[in-house]
Amino acid sequence: MARPLFGGALSAIIPPSAQDISELREIPDNQEVFAHTLTDQSIIIELLEYQSQVQDADAARYHFEDVAASNRALENGSWEVRGVEQVPQSDLSMHECSSAWLLSGAQLVSKFNEEAKNTVNIHLCLFRLPQYTTDILVTFNNPVCINPLSSSAIENVAAIPWTLHDFKGVLQSFCLLDPGVFG
């Protein structure tokens, strides 16, 4: 069942075992954040300013580098882009976007400003909506190598992690219900 997002203006099918992080802490108004209840995986949906100075595939890279800056993962060797591909409109429910781009990459990220860095596979989809001067970024953070000194090093063998298939289900079901959300 689709979950309402941003006060019902958007919706998507969010994977099972997702906890709405806004129930635990304050989240900026332009974000919806969900975390797997048993792993360190997360899905973040952000309404961002349309970046007209960068073209489609490059805009996905632009936003990935912005995420790397937020994760303090900008130093050389701390991040990589593995691929960028256009998502066919036929695979999407978000028909208002001019294009959608799926980027796969990785970053070395510290949790809670720890010294220990974990390798996190990052899959992000950029929905471009120039008519609303908005880029929507949907990011799947999937830790794949946890540093033994990280606070995330507690192993939960019972956890069933989200998969790339689960993330693509979010993307395929993501839809706009009220364009008034863009102001």
Side-chain angles (χ1 to χ4, degrees):
M1 183 165 153
R3 179 180 235 147
L5 305 166
F6 300 99
L10 298 150
S11 71
I13 296 172
I14 304 297
S17 5
Q19 179 170 17
D20 183 344
I21 296 302
S22 69
E23 296 171 359
L24 302 176
R25 62 179 164 90
E26 196 166 321
I27 300 295
D29 289 343
N30 72 317
Q31 292 183 349
E32 294 274 359
V33 180
F34 300 93
H36 192 294
T37 54
L38 298 173
T39 71
D40 274 353
Q41 294 175 308
S42 64
I43 294 175
I44 302 170
I45 302 165
E46 298 178 88
L47 305 180
L48 302 169
E49 184 178 342
Y50 183 76
Q51 299 300 316
S52 60
Q53 77 279 11
V54 285
Q55 295 302 308
D56 297 335
D58 291 333
R61 290 176 188 272
Y62 172 91
H63 287 294
F64 179 80
E65 289 179 24
D66 191 51
V67 169
S70 296
N71 289 336
R72 295 185 186 96
L74 276 179
E75 60 265 10
N76 203 11
S78 289
W79 62 275
E80 70 172 331
V81 173
R82 295 179 179 148
V84 181
E85 62 187 64
Q86 187 165 10
V87 181
Q89 288 281 351
S90 60
D91 289 355
L92 301 172
S93 297
M94 173 73 72
H95 300 295
E96 297 82 359
C97 66
S98 63
S99 64
W101 298 86
L102 185 62
L103 180 145
S104 294
Q107 295 178 7
L108 290 174
V109 179
S110 297
K111 188 171 182 180
F112 306 123
N113 297 318
E114 298 172 337
E115 288 290 318
K117 292 188 183 252
N118 304 317
T119 302
V120 179
N121 282 345
I122 296 180
H123 303 280
L124 65 81
C125 186
L126 175 63
F127 294 89
R128 308 222 68 200
L129 291 99
Q131 71 274 32
Y132 301 116
T133 61
T134 301
D135 280 338
I136 301 177
L137 192 64
V138 183
T139 307
F140 172 35
N141 297 296
N142 184 20
V144 291
C145 184
I146 305 296
N147 186 308
L149 301 176
S150 170
S151 61
S152 296
I154 302 159
E155 193 171 330
N156 189 338
V157 292
I160 298 171
W162 293 332
T163 64
L164 189 53
H165 179 76
D166 293 324
F167 179 61
K168 288 184 177 178
V170 173
L171 304 178
Q172 290 167 347
S173 67
F174 191 59
C175 65
L176 176 62
L177 303 172
D178 179 7
V181 71
F182 304 122

